[in-house]
Amino acid sequence: MSRVVVRYAPSPTGIPHIGNIRTALFNFLLAKNQNGQFILRIEDTDRKRFIPKSIPKIKESLLVLGLKWDGEEIYQSKRLNLYQEHLEILKKKQLTYNKEGAWYFKVEKSKKISWQDLLHGPINFSSDVIEDFVIVKSDGFPTYHFASVVDDHEMQVSHVMRGDEWISSTPKHLLLYQAFSWNPPKFIHLPPILGPDKKKLSKRQGARSVLEYIEDGYLPEALVNFLALLGWSPKGDRELFILDELIREFSLDRLNKNSPIFNIEKLNWFNKKYLQKYTSDELIKKIRNFSKLAKTVNDQHLVKISRLVCDRLTTLADFDSIASIFFEKGKEKPPQKSKIENARKAIESIITWDEYSIGQVLDEWIASNHFESSDFKNTLRLSVFADNTPPIYQSLAVLSKEEVINRIDDAIKKAK
Ligand code: GLU
């Protein structure tokens, strides 16, 4: 392949949802796989729909996933001269006319327009279905069609990869390439991500922004991995790929023609996998961004708690509800007083306060007193924690011995 240059070209009319970001991701992967260039071009020529605040959100959505574009981002609104010069060229060729202040491109009838879409194969249109179209509006700004063709040529874009809702625009673009006697880039039109009902993905089904997913406690690694597999498949059965691995593996010939289906369970699965891969230090750093409760304990303590609950987390935002038992005293109706008093004695007799010794002493205690193990553990569980905990000995070791005894004393007071 000759030098690969691609662009992600959002219109700043709102915050991009994950479908748009998947398009950006595929462009990024193609560029990086080929040592090419990934351009961010802000298509801000529709002044009526322009929402300035969406620009930082677009950039953040890319950066949070590690999709850094090459060079500075480009704003079409700062390139009006370039479009004006190109309008002049077409005017000289007598391919335009002016109506009510806007410049139209004249579409010659009965022409065959075709291209070889790298995903869909040959696509043909007749120019008869295309009306003359505006290229520069009366406010002096170019239309999407015109600006995008001029820019793709000027930036030497080699591959235009975008959503297939643009297929019907491509013939207009090709007519412009012809009018300028330029070679068009290669086109790849991606099928849209659908909801589980096979209809356009709705907001409720998951068409939200990447930033909303991050706020909900999803990890960038999980989102990247999940999005990459919506419409592209690697060789073999492996599913877990971090961004660098996706860059290495990506190829256009493994893009899928069929629409991928958005499945939140799959995203949850990826998220769990990546949470489990974190080192303790990484994990608690992430947890601290999400948890109110974590603020009340030091790192050492938080590491212990997070190790215990990690397997039960789907997103980082689950931490507080799942780990709350380590932060609050027992709430449920306490068990019999005599049983709790007995458990207190057992706890008091523990000298070394770690998971192993706690287990050893308590098991020994259960055996020599002929207690029923599950009943004894349950008494402890209910006296010390709010509800079901992960394995009780590990859970006790997370708290200090003093704290455990305090909680038991409270339970004794409440018990009959
Ligand atoms: N600005 C268009 C959009 O919002 C870009 C389409 C294209 O990639 O050509 O999607």
Side-chain angles (χ1 to χ4, degrees):
M1 248 190 255
S2 53
R3 181 163 165 70
V4 168
V5 180
V6 296
R7 81 301 192 277
Y8 172 51
S11 302
T13 55
I15 303 173
H17 67 71
I18 51 162
N20 305 122
I21 297 299
R22 182 202 56 155
T23 302
L25 172 63
F26 284 3
N27 275 289
F28 175 88
L29 294 176
L30 174 62
K32 299 298 141 183
N33 175 272
Q34 296 288 321
N35 279 320
Q37 204 187 346
F38 173 63
I39 294 172
L40 173 59
R41 187 170 77 212
I42 307 288
E43 303 207 322
D44 55 351
T45 61
D46 186 344
R47 304 314 278 181
K48 288 194 208 94
R49 296 177 60 219
F50 180 47
I51 300 176
K53 274 197 199 136
S54 57
I55 295 177
K57 298 287 181 194
I58 291 169
K59 298 205 292 190
E60 218 183 307
S61 302
L62 296 173
L63 292 177
V64 76
L65 299 186
L67 311 181
K68 178 73 187 85
W69 52 97
D70 294 307
E72 292 287 311
E73 67 272 17
I74 288 159
Y75 295 87
Q76 288 186 324
S77 61
K78 295 188 183 153
R79 297 159 63 85
L80 298 186
N81 285 343
L82 180 73
Y83 311 123
Q84 198 57 45
E85 281 164 26
H86 284 84
L87 172 64
E88 293 307 322
I89 297 174
L90 295 186
K91 276 201 227 168
K92 278 206 191 87
K93 295 189 174 192
Q94 305 197 325
L95 293 170
T96 61
Y97 58 88
N98 192 291
K99 201 167 98 186
E100 290 162 10
W103 288 97
Y104 282 76
F105 179 76
K106 283 192 229 168
V107 175
E108 198 187 315
K109 294 292 155 196
S110 313
K111 269 182 78 172
K112 213 181 131 200
I113 307 168
S114 51
W115 76 94
Q116 186 71 22
D117 196 283
L118 292 193
L119 185 53
H120 296 279
I123 299 186
N124 303 301
F125 277 84
S126 156
S127 70
D128 292 342
V129 300
I130 303 166
E131 307 273 335
D132 293 351
F133 57 93
V134 178
I135 52 176
V136 176
K137 293 170 283 183
S138 55
D139 64 2
F141 281 83
T143 57
Y144 154 68
H145 302 301
F146 192 55
S148 126
V149 166
V150 170
D151 279 345
D152 284 343
H153 174 75
E154 204 267 341
M155 295 170 186
Q156 299 176 21
V157 167
S158 61
H159 296 71
V160 168
M161 179 154 39
R162 60 186 169 202
D164 67 8
E165 70 272 24
W166 300 103
I167 285 187
S168 59
S169 298
T170 305
K172 292 181 183 159
H173 301 175
L174 288 169
L175 289 173
L176 290 171
Y177 281 103
Q178 254 176 34
F180 286 113
S181 312
W182 293 338
N183 284 329
K186 300 196 167 69
F187 292 98
I188 302 129
H189 288 97
L190 300 168
I193 302 170
L194 301 181
D197 55 3
K198 307 256 168 84
K199 298 206 183 98
K200 191 175 164 237
L201 189 66
S202 69
K203 179 114 182 144
R204 188 177 49 78
Q205 289 169 333
R208 301 187 304 145
S209 85
V210 162
L211 301 176
E212 284 174 292
Y213 281 98
I214 298 281
E215 274 163 27
D216 284 354
Y218 287 95
L219 306 172
E221 299 88 324
L223 285 162
V224 162
N225 201 152
F226 172 71
L227 290 178
L229 300 190
L230 287 178
W232 174 81
S233 44
K235 292 192 202 104
D237 318 322
R238 183 175 153 199
E239 291 192 286
L240 287 177
F241 294 90
I242 58 167
L243 191 58
D244 280 343
E245 295 167 328
L246 290 167
I247 290 174
R248 247 178 279 138
E249 294 290 319
F250 190 79
S251 71
L252 290 175
D253 55 14
R254 303 195 66 86
L255 285 175
N256 203 323
K257 268 192 207 181
N258 302 323
S259 278
I261 307 286
F262 183 93
N263 176 358
I264 189 79
E265 292 307 323
K266 193 76 202 192
L267 175 59
N268 289 340
W269 181 83
F270 278 119
N271 215 61
K272 271 174 158 307
K273 289 281 176 204
Y274 283 102
L275 276 173
Q276 287 161 11
K277 280 185 171 207
Y278 279 154
T279 64
S280 299
D281 283 349
E282 287 167 340
L283 184 61
I284 64 164
K285 231 163 96 193
K286 296 268 179 178
I287 285 173
R288 284 202 181 280
N289 292 334
F290 278 84
S291 166
K292 285 205 187 89
L293 294 177
K295 293 195 175 69
T296 63
V297 294
N298 64 22
D299 281 359
Q300 214 185 353
H301 195 162
L302 191 56
V303 163
K304 284 193 194 166
I305 298 175
S306 59
R307 276 208 203 114
L308 281 184
V309 299
C310 178
D311 286 352
R312 301 210 276 160
L313 300 178
T314 301
T315 70
L316 289 164
D318 295 336
F319 181 80
D320 274 3
S321 60
I322 291 177
S324 65
I325 45 167
F326 295 110
F327 297 89
E328 310 164 5
K329 295 180 182 183
K331 277 191 209 139
E332 294 203 7
K333 214 171 143 226
Q336 270 178 12
K337 194 170 184 166
S338 59
K339 286 191 184 171
I340 316 176
E341 281 169 345
N342 186 280
R344 189 188 195 281
K345 279 194 207 127
I347 294 289
E348 270 201 317
S349 75
I350 301 170
I351 296 168
T352 313
W353 193 255
D354 60 31
E355 184 190 328
Y356 177 75
S357 315
I358 292 173
Q360 229 187 6
V361 174
L362 295 183
D363 283 341
E364 177 61 34
W365 182 276
I366 292 167
S368 56
N369 286 286
H370 306 289
F371 287 139
E372 197 188 316
S373 169
S374 66
D375 185 55
F376 179 84
K377 286 180 184 170
N378 215 29
T379 299
L380 259 180
R381 208 188 300 275
L382 289 175
S383 320
V384 180
F385 297 107
D387 62 63
N388 268 342
T389 49
I392 180 76
Y393 298 155
Q394 283 177 44
S395 305
L396 289 170
V398 170
L399 303 175
S400 66
K401 178 173 172 182
E402 203 189 345
E403 174 70 15
V404 169
I405 290 185
N406 281 340
R407 290 182 183 198
I408 292 179
D409 284 345
D410 276 356
I412 292 174
K413 270 183 225 148
K414 282 185 234 151
K416 292 196 183 75

